[in-house]
Amino acid sequence: MNIALLVTPFSDENLQLAAQVGATDIVSIYPGLELENLLSIKRRVDSFGLKLSVIERYVPTLDFIHGTEKRDQQIEDFKTLIRNLGEAEVPVLCYSWMPDDDWQRTSLTVKERGGALVTEFDMRNPETFQSVTGFDFQSDDPTPAPKLWDNLEYFLNEVIPVAEDAGVKLAMHPDDPPIETLRGQDRILSTPEAFERLVAMVDSPSNGICFCQGSFASSANEYDIPALIHRLSPHITFAHFRDVVGAVPHFTEAFHDTGKTDMAACLKAYLEAGVDCPIRPDHVPTLVGESNEHPGYHMLGRLWAVGYMRGIMDSIH
């Protein structure tokens, strides 16, 4: 496993910090469809002795998820992105099938250890549920689960051959929070069985999984996360290292050493299962002096997490 960082903001200072603390790989947000934009990001990352390994976040997906009249054009754009990654030798593209666009939370300012700020999801009273993360897409005509599955199969049949030709691995992120229905909209990728169905639709090394530990850990099913890593390991092409306290319908994010999961056992599971892919700390607490403008994505918590991860990795090798 190679420790990766998504640095926010994407600055020379933060890239240098990533190199200084021992991260080897960098994750960048969606660069648009111009190849030169991607190559420019790659050259900047290279200049710090790091490797641009993953593109994720803000990748346009809603039209092909819901099957709108713009679906085929958005799929063609996705293919262009894949080809650009192949040309730039960026091996992984992470995306999701969340029909409301991205992860949802009800608070961004719950206090953790030492007053650090973390996010919370609380749906114990569905009547008062309101997302505060800014990803509040809601269709006037919700797409039912069978149609979401049909749209997914259509999408995979279109894009996986392109990914194979480009040498790019796709990494599907689980629904976050992992619930079957949110505000009247079905969601289909919350369980191990759903991910096994996903990879069986098009059997290919390019049709892979982003194993988000926190998403699976916040499930009401209370999964054994290390066991789940072993179960899905043949298909894991990217991993998110994070944890929570609680589970649906109510959970909060945590420091990597204050959540409910045995995080050392998780890293050991990746090692034992032979998973070899980038892994990044995700949704870190906001620490003192940081603005919390981008909850979960500030830098100090990431630096702490890298040290924590490296310590565990050294102990299990």
Side-chain angles (χ1 to χ4, degrees):
M1 303 290 283
N2 297 324
I3 296 179
L5 278 181
L6 193 162
V7 298
T8 309
F10 195 80
S11 65
D12 286 356
E13 178 180 342
N14 282 340
L15 288 170
Q16 186 173 2
L17 283 169
Q20 288 177 344
V21 299
T24 59
D25 294 42
I26 291 295
V27 179
S28 175
I29 64 172
Y30 174 62
L33 297 178
E34 294 295 326
L35 175 59
E36 182 52 39
N37 289 346
L38 178 61
L39 292 173
S40 177
I41 293 169
K42 186 175 188 296
R43 288 191 294 267
R44 190 174 178 188
V45 170
D46 289 346
S47 72
F48 289 91
L50 299 163
K51 178 183 178 182
L52 181 63
S53 294
V54 185
I55 297 297
E56 74 166 316
R57 304 204 77 215
Y58 306 118
V59 179
T61 58
L62 288 177
D63 286 312
F64 54 68
I65 289 174
H66 290 281
T68 75
E69 69 277 2
K70 299 178 181 179
R71 171 180 69 175
D72 290 336
Q73 182 56 59
Q74 192 169 75
I75 288 176
E76 289 305 313
D77 290 345
F78 199 91
K79 292 178 183 177
T80 297
L81 178 61
I82 292 171
R83 294 187 184 103
N84 287 349
L85 265 64
E87 183 71 21
E89 297 182 334
V90 178
V92 178
L93 174 56
C94 181
Y95 70 116
S96 80
W97 211 255
M98 287 185 256
D100 42 18
D101 201 28
D102 213 324
W103 55 284
Q104 303 282 310
R105 296 292 186 271
T106 55
S107 175
L108 309 176
T109 55
V110 172
K111 290 187 177 180
E112 233 271 11
R113 182 173 62 202
L117 301 179
V118 297
T119 69
E120 175 185 46
F121 181 81
D122 189 352
M123 202 177 171
R124 289 173 291 185
N125 185 350
E127 298 300 320
T128 61
F129 172 83
Q130 183 176 1
S131 174
V132 295
T133 43
F135 301 108
D136 55 359
F137 175 87
Q138 189 169 9
S139 173
D140 293 332
D141 184 19
T143 306
K147 182 62 173 175
L148 291 174
W149 281 112
D150 289 346
N151 293 344
L152 177 56
E153 186 169 19
Y154 179 90
F155 167 82
L156 291 174
N157 282 323
E158 287 287 318
V159 304
I160 293 302
V162 177
E164 290 174 341
D165 289 343
V168 173
K169 294 181 178 181
L170 302 189
M172 176 71 83
H173 189 287
D175 294 337
D176 183 12
I179 52 180
E180 292 184 357
T181 304
L182 181 63
R183 293 181 301 180
Q185 172 59 64
D186 289 345
R187 297 150 71 84
I188 61 172
L189 285 170
S190 297
T191 67
E193 293 77 15
F195 275 86
E196 288 167 338
R197 179 175 175 179
L198 160 79
V199 296
M201 279 182 165
V202 180
D203 184 10
S204 167
S206 289
N207 184 21
I209 295 169
C210 170
F211 192 94
C212 181
Q213 295 179 198
S215 293
F216 285 117
S218 56
S219 170
N221 292 318
E222 297 287 350
Y223 296 118
D224 179 331
I225 303 303
L228 195 52
I229 290 169
H230 279 281
R231 176 176 171 179
L232 296 177
S233 62
H235 312 289
I236 297 174
T237 53
F238 184 36
H240 285 177
F241 191 74
R242 68 178 179 90
D243 203 10
V244 298
V245 174
V248 170
H250 178 229
F251 62 87
T252 59
E253 309 252 26
F255 279 95
H256 292 81
D257 64 338
T258 59
K260 64 183 186 179
T261 305
D262 185 337
M263 302 297 268
C266 290
L267 288 176
K268 187 176 181 181
Y270 292 118
L271 179 66
E272 292 173 342
V275 177
D276 184 14
C277 70
I279 181 170
R280 73 170 181 87
D282 191 25
H283 292 199
V284 296
T286 300
L287 303 189
V288 63
E290 296 180 314
S291 67
N292 207 38
E293 181 181 359
H294 303 288
Y297 290 93
H298 289 285
M299 198 64 184
L300 293 180
R302 296 183 188 280
L303 301 181
W304 181 92
V306 169
Y308 179 74
M309 294 169 71
R310 285 177 61 85
I312 295 173
M313 287 176 168
D314 285 348
S315 73
I316 62 178
H317 275 89

